[in-house]
Structures are given as structure tokens and as C-alpha cells.
Amino acid sequence: TAHISIREVSKTYPPAKRGGSAVEAVRSVSVDVAKGEILGVVGYSGAGKSTLVRLINALEPVSSGYIEIDGVDITSLKSRQQREMRRGIGMIFQRFNLLRSRTVAGNVSYALEVAGTPKAQRAARVKELLDFVGLGDKADNHPEQLSGGQQQRVGIARALAAEPGILLADEATSALDPETTDEVLSLLQRVNRELGITIVLITHEMEVIAKIADRVVVMERGGIVEAGETYDVFTNP
Ligand code: ADP
Ligand code: ADP
């Protein structure tokens, strides 16, 4: 059964100014993501990938169509229920978005606090999460003392704090060099295989998708132009 089911979803942004034109950022997109799968969404800048992520997260309302997560139509939830639903979804970003003022442990601990983990359990959980991403020895460093790849691993530890069922990765390796990219992709593979977390990976980098996605959809001008098993999409002419 589908973990995430996107059905005929369109999103039109209103004109930015009077006399401007509306932008149809996502056009009639349908795709299912199975539980425990890594789905890659690839496309050039402006293709609608980030918009699709924001729709899955209910950070933007759809213009038409609907999205089900675990069988629940999230587009018709009240905003309070949407916030609750969002807790089950971790996010990582191109620019990591870590808090500069907090240590590595502090960043993860803050996410645990937001997720409602009791104070007495936080330090042990922080340690567990940092060990999982291989940064047990960096707990007391500040993000700026870490490499880009290490910062993204903190981002992943933070995203796992609320024990999400889904991880959305928006250009998560685009700021990293190829070697560091591979490191982060291996970690995402462990997140998927060892924790059973469904991953939607958005990127403009074909190689990233080819490396770890089970299935891929290719977006162009808001629509899906190709979809299938990664192997087929990348080996067929
Ligand atoms: P991608 O992530 O593939 O680069 P986006 O989803 O960011 O694509 O953008 C798709 C289209 O929607 C682009 O034409 C972009 O300019 C437009 N767009 C994105 N966000 C907004 C917004 N908040 N308001 C208006 N237009 C937007
Ligand atoms: P910051 O000032 O960066 O937020 P703190 O030292 O105040 O960092 O720690 C905030 C929380 O982070 C602590 O309450 C604790 O739960 C967790 N924490 C801090 N250092 C560690 C560590 N070395 N190992 C595990 N957890 C830690």
C-alpha cells in the first residue's frame, strides 16, 4: 500500500503583482510512494520540485487534487492536525539550516524538545542520534566548526529526532562536493534500510538519484514527464 499517494495535484501561485501572471508550478501530478521506498524527484530549477515538497508537507495548500499520507487526506485537515501530521515528516535542506548559536548536541536537543521528548531523556537520545550519524565526538562543537558533510549529518540527526516515518530531502547534497555527497547518500541509505524510513529525494543532480533511489520521477514545467524504476529511467534511451 502507498505511504504517500499524490493524486492529480496542481498548484498555481497567484500573480506576484497586479497585472502579473499566475504560475502553474505543479500540473496534475500523480505519484505513489511505497512504504520504505526511496523516491527520487529530478528536474531542472523551476520544474516544481520544491513546490511538490511543500505540498506533501502541507506547507502550501493544493489548488486541486489531493495527497494521502498513511491513507489520510492531508489537504483537507485543519491546520492544527496538519502541524501534528508534519511531526511525522523530517526535512533536510541544501543549506542545512542549523542554529549557529547552539552546539551540535544543542541543535539536536532543540529538535527533541520541540518533538516533546522529556528533558530527562534528551541527552541520551542526542547521543544515540549523533552516534547513528557518526558524529558522537562532535557533540560540543558548533556547526561552523564542521565540514559541510558533517553539518548535513547533524541536519539528518535533527530530522530523525521526532522519529518520522518520512524524510523529505530538498537538494540535500547540492552544496557538497562529490565525495561528501557519497557519504551523505550512504547515510540516507542507512536511514532508509535500518530505520525503515520512506525518503523523497528532490534534486537537480541525476547522479544522486541514480545512486540511491528505487524509483524516479522526472519533472519538467510542473509536470511528470517520465517515471519508473531508476534502472529503467536511466538506462533506456
Ligand atoms: P524547483 O524546486 O524545481 O526549482 P519550484 O517549485 O521552486 O521549482 O518552482 C516552480 C515554479 O513556481 C517556478 O516558476 C517558480 O518561480 C514558481 N514559484 C515557486 N515558489 C513560488 C511562490 N512562493 N510564489 C510564486 N511563484 C513561485
Ligand atoms: P546549547 O547551548 O548549544 O544549546 P547546551 O550545552 O545548553 O547546548 O545543551 C543543550 C542540550 O543539549 C542539553 O540539555 C542536553 O540535552 C544536550 N547536550 C548538550 N551537550 C551534550 C552532549 N555532549 N551529549 C549529549 N547531549 C548533550
Side-chain angles (χ1 to χ4, degrees), residues 13-14 16 23-26 43-52 54 60 170-171 202:
Y13 292 108
V23 179
E24 197 175 16
V26 170
Y44 296 115
S45 174
K49 307 182 298 294
S50 299
T51 299
L52 190 63
R54 290 202 295 276
E60 295 270 5
D170 190 355
E171 299 285 0
I202 304 280

Side-chain angles (χ1 to χ4, degrees), residues 62-188:
V62 300
S63 302
S64 63
Y66 64 93
I67 298 174
E68 287 182 353
I69 296 180
D70 293 319
V72 175
D73 179 3
I74 60 151
T75 62
S76 61
L77 295 178
K78 297 201 166 57
S79 56
R80 205 180 128 246
Q81 297 167 306
Q82 284 181 339
R83 272 200 301 281
E84 211 134 288
M85 178 279 296
R86 222 172 276 134
R87 280 198 203 173
I89 301 180
M91 277 214 73
I92 56 174
F93 309 91
Q94 177 168 8
R95 292 278 154 210
F96 323 129
N97 299 6
L98 302 175
L99 299 168
R100 291 185 55 135
S101 62
R102 286 173 186 262
T103 62
V104 164
N107 268 277
V108 178
S109 179
Y110 181 69
L112 290 167
E113 188 179 337
V114 171
T117 307
K119 196 172 166 68
Q121 294 167 22
R122 277 181 221 149
R125 237 344 240 150
V126 166
K127 183 165 177 357
E128 192 177 30
L129 287 162
L130 289 180
D131 284 343
F132 181 79
V133 302
L135 292 176
D137 58 337
K138 301 289 182 194
D140 300 325
N141 285 78
H142 278 266
E144 66 208 2
Q145 299 172 301
L146 304 185
S147 70
Q150 289 172 331
Q151 290 185 51
Q152 191 58 291
R153 288 195 268 151
V154 178
I156 292 169
R158 179 185 54 187
L160 298 177
E163 302 187 37
I166 295 170
L167 181 68
L168 302 177
D170 190 355
E171 299 285 0
T173 58
S174 300
L176 305 175
D177 62 47
E179 197 179 317
T180 316
T181 292
D182 284 350
E183 240 175 72
V184 168
L185 293 180
S186 305
L187 176 56
L188 288 177

